[in-house]
Every structure is written in structure tokens, then in C-alpha cells.
Amino acid sequence: MISILMPVYNGAPYLRESIGSVTAQTSKDWEMIVLDDGSTDNSWEVLQELAKEEPRIRLFQKANDPDGNVARNIRWMCGKAQGDYAFYMSQDDTIAPDCLERLSRRAAETGADIVLPDMLLRFADGQTGEWPCSYPPDGDYDRIMTPREAFYEAVDFHLHGFGLVRMALMADERNDTSYYDSDEYNSRMQFLWARNGIAFAPTTFYYYQGNPDAITHRFHVRRFQRLKTHILLAQSFEQEFTDSHRRLRLKMQLIRTYITMTHLYFTHGQEMTDEEKTKARQCFREFERHISFNGFRRAVWQRLNNYERAFAAAYFLLGSALPLQGIYRLLHSPHR
């Protein structure tokens, strides 16, 4: 049995389509664990209507935790699940009608701990798009990746994390639940723990991009916690890979994440309270203290564009790019 895990928070406009893509599955060997995380809209009423029509949908409620995150909700739902495999999807994502059937068949054929479908972006107008990680490496659906191969490819999201995951991995106590994006960190670590390998299946998971209220689209000071999960990622990666060629790929992911977070801080700094700014700067300080680019600065520099180099130069020379904030504001002043 597959346990589909879906946390819901104010997702009423999307639930019929999202859950409808599950109830339309050609496979019938599934249950759906839906956790309403303190919604303030009519999500719970919509969920109750849908559950009346489909007994395999199991509904739960809990009070919303303003400091909670997806990883904590996943751990909570795993405690209620009965399946051998878990499949996580957000309240606005959808899956192709044959998705669960093809994934479970591939898991049975290969014994793999994780089976990944194709992953396409789906927009509000119905159009779809691709990411570098949308398909298996080289388009090879017969490939079985080793844990280390998959972990290496996933460090900069050349493998996505939406797939069928053996429940023992999804519920593993080693999964982190501390940070805003711990679920993304955990999906990478699950690749590393997947001792029976990672397989692929030609079916599609649709990652919705049209929800303006999605946590990935709204600014919140917790987004700076990505700097902390990347410290954890770097520590795990450098334990596995000691050669400079592979570590360079990690360093590129680290510097680009740091630049993205610095840009986020500059563009939203005026919206934050003093307390929020303090929390954000703490994330930067921890990253700057733990992440070293010694031995990689030239190689990293050569692979950055001119805009990225401005941030990297400050980081390499001053130990932080935050001192650029005054210059950034001057350059982007509406009165300039």
C-alpha cells in the first residue's frame, strides 16, 4: 500500500483538483493521509465532502504552529500511515492517472527504496514547464542509481525529491524537522540512505506554480533558514566526497544559495522588524562561520556571472556580503 501524505493549510481552491487526481488513479492500493494544519478558510469542509465520497481518505486536524514546517507535518503523518511506501504532495499539486501504478510497479520490479516520476511545473493557465531535474539523467528510465550517485546529483537539484519513498526512510528519525526547508534537505538525505537504490518511472508529478499564497512564493523571515539547512547539507556532502571535483559542485550550490538569500534580505529588509532582522542575520553569521571556500575561490569565481561576482567578492574579502546593503539600496533607489 502507498500512503499519500498531504498537509493542508487554506488550500480550499485547489483540493478538489489535487485530491481528485489521486482518486482518479488506475491503482487502487493506496490510502491518503490529509492533515488540516489549522486552516482558517473552508478547507476542512471541502475535505469532509471529499472523504465522504472516498473511504481511503483519512482526515486529521491539528492547531497551526506558526513556527512549524513541512518536515514536522510529514513526521506527524507518518505516525498515522499504514503503507509500505510514502508519497508526499502539496495541496495544489496533481499527478497523472497512472502515476501510483507505474511507481509501485517499478518499485516491485527493482526493489528500489525510492522511485521518481517525471516532474513538470504546472501553471495557473494550464501550461507546463520543465526544470533540469524534470526527467531521469540522460532520459534513462532503466537506470538504477546508487545512493551516492543520487545524493551527488541532488545537491543542486538535478534530481527532484517528489517520488515514492520507502516508509522506513520517510519516517526515519534521522530526518531533520528544525527548519523551514528541512523537507528539501531530508529528501536529499533519503537518497543517501536508500541502500536499495533509486529508480525511475515514465509518469508525471505536476508541481503547481500558480498559487500566490504558497509558502515558496511568500516572503517570510523563516526563508533565511535555508542557510542553516545548507550547513547540514555541506557537512553530509563533505563526509561522502573528498575529491575537489565533486566538492566544487557543492560549493557552487552553496554560493548561489547565499547570494539568493542575500538578495532576499536586501529586497525585503525594510519589511522586517528589528527582531526579524536579528534572526535573519544570525542565519547569515552561522553560514559564514561554517562554510569555507578556501581552495575553491578561483574555480567558483570563474563560474559566476558578473552580478553574482559582486556578492561573492564581498563574501570572499569581507567574510559577508551584507555590507553591500547600502550600495544595493542606492543603486535600486526609486529616486536615483
Side-chain angles (χ1 to χ4, degrees):
M1 181 188 289
I2 298 171
S3 293
I4 301 154
L5 310 178
M6 179 184 286
V8 169
Y9 180 73
N10 292 349
Y14 310 99
L15 293 174
R16 287 185 173 85
E17 183 176 16
S18 182
I19 294 178
S21 75
V22 175
T23 58
Q25 289 296 296
T26 54
S27 170
K28 304 304 178 185
D29 193 17
W30 54 266
E31 65 169 358
M32 189 169 195
I33 308 297
V34 183
L35 174 61
D36 181 75
D37 192 13
S39 294
T40 58
D41 67 355
N42 65 324
S43 290
W44 183 246
E45 288 74 18
V46 173
L47 291 171
Q48 288 179 309
E49 291 177 17
L50 295 170
K52 284 180 182 178
E53 301 170 2
E54 175 50 74
R56 287 170 293 184
I57 299 175
R58 300 170 57 202
L59 301 182
F60 299 90
Q61 278 183 306
K62 74 176 185 67
N64 181 259
D65 179 2
D67 296 318
N69 55 54
V70 172
R72 288 183 196 172
N73 284 339
I74 288 175
R75 176 169 289 180
W76 194 98
M77 290 184 287
C78 283
K80 303 295 183 182
Q82 300 171 347
D84 300 313
Y85 283 86
F87 186 90
Y88 169 81
M89 56 191 296
S90 296
Q91 62 192 17
D92 47 14
D93 298 329
T94 54
I95 51 178
D98 64 352
C99 188
L100 298 183
E101 180 180 359
R102 285 181 176 268
L103 291 174
S104 57
R105 183 190 307 157
R106 191 66 177 143
E109 291 170 351
T110 63
D113 288 328
I114 298 175
V115 185
L116 299 180
D118 298 338
M119 188 278 291
L120 295 181
L121 306 178
R122 184 171 66 92
F123 302 97
D125 62 1
Q127 298 295 312
T128 59
E130 299 177 2
W131 267 351
C133 59
S134 286
Y135 303 103
D138 302 319
D140 184 3
Y141 291 96
D142 293 325
R143 182 174 181 180
I144 309 294
M145 298 188 77
T146 67
R148 293 179 82 248
E149 286 175 333
F151 181 55
Y152 176 71
E153 291 295 327
V155 71
D156 55 0
F157 295 105
H158 278 75
L159 279 188
H160 66 81
F162 298 106
L164 198 65
V165 180
R166 198 176 295 278
M167 184 62 73
L169 296 181
M170 188 70 88
D172 196 303
E173 287 298 319
R174 291 174 292 180
N175 284 300
D176 184 79
T177 60
S178 305
Y179 305 119
Y180 152 82
D181 65 330
S182 285
D183 57 310
E184 294 181 1
Y185 167 74
N186 292 339
S187 68
R188 289 157 156 151
M189 295 307 299
Q190 287 161 10
F191 287 135
L192 190 60
W193 302 334
R195 296 306 173 193
N196 294 314
I198 296 86
F200 302 89
T203 184
T204 308
F205 177 97
Y206 295 96
Y207 184 23
Y208 190 59
Q209 299 293 293
N211 181 0
D213 296 319
I215 191 170
T216 52
H217 294 164
R218 287 183 289 113
F219 172 74
H220 194 284
V221 68
R222 287 187 296 162
R223 289 178 66 176
F224 295 107
Q225 293 176 3
R226 188 177 297 274
L227 294 165
K228 295 189 176 186
T229 56
H230 273 62
I231 296 171
L232 299 178
L233 179 65
Q235 291 169 346
S236 297
F237 192 94
E238 290 178 346
Q239 287 176 1
E240 288 294 322
F241 302 106
T242 58
D243 61 287
S244 59
H245 174 73
R246 285 188 172 90
R247 285 193 175 186
L248 177 57
R249 188 162 179 172
L250 167 70
K251 299 299 183 181
M252 294 305 304
Q253 172 65 15
L254 292 172
I255 193 65
R256 287 191 166 123
T257 297
Y258 180 85
I259 292 169
T260 299
M261 291 297 100
T262 305
H263 184 266
L264 188 72
Y265 183 83
F266 290 172
T267 53
H268 292 278
Q270 293 180 322
E271 303 170 24
M272 293 189 285
T273 65
D274 290 342
E275 182 181 359
E276 289 174 334
K277 289 178 182 178
T278 298
K279 289 181 179 179
R281 288 195 295 267
Q282 181 186 27
C283 294
F284 280 100
R285 282 196 297 269
E286 288 190 33
F287 184 95
E288 292 156 359
R289 204 163 48 236
H290 287 92
I291 301 300
S292 171
F293 289 90
N294 290 341
F296 292 92
R297 293 181 181 182
R298 179 186 294 273
V300 166
W301 182 266
Q302 291 172 343
R303 288 162 175 79
L304 297 176
N305 61 40
N306 289 335
Y307 181 78
E308 294 170 327
R309 285 177 176 178
F311 293 90
Y315 187 98
F316 294 161
L317 295 174
L318 305 176
S320 174
L322 294 184
L324 296 178
Q325 186 171 20
I327 299 174
Y328 180 90
R329 286 181 178 174
L330 180 63
L331 292 175
H332 292 82
S333 171
H335 304 296
R336 182 173 180 269

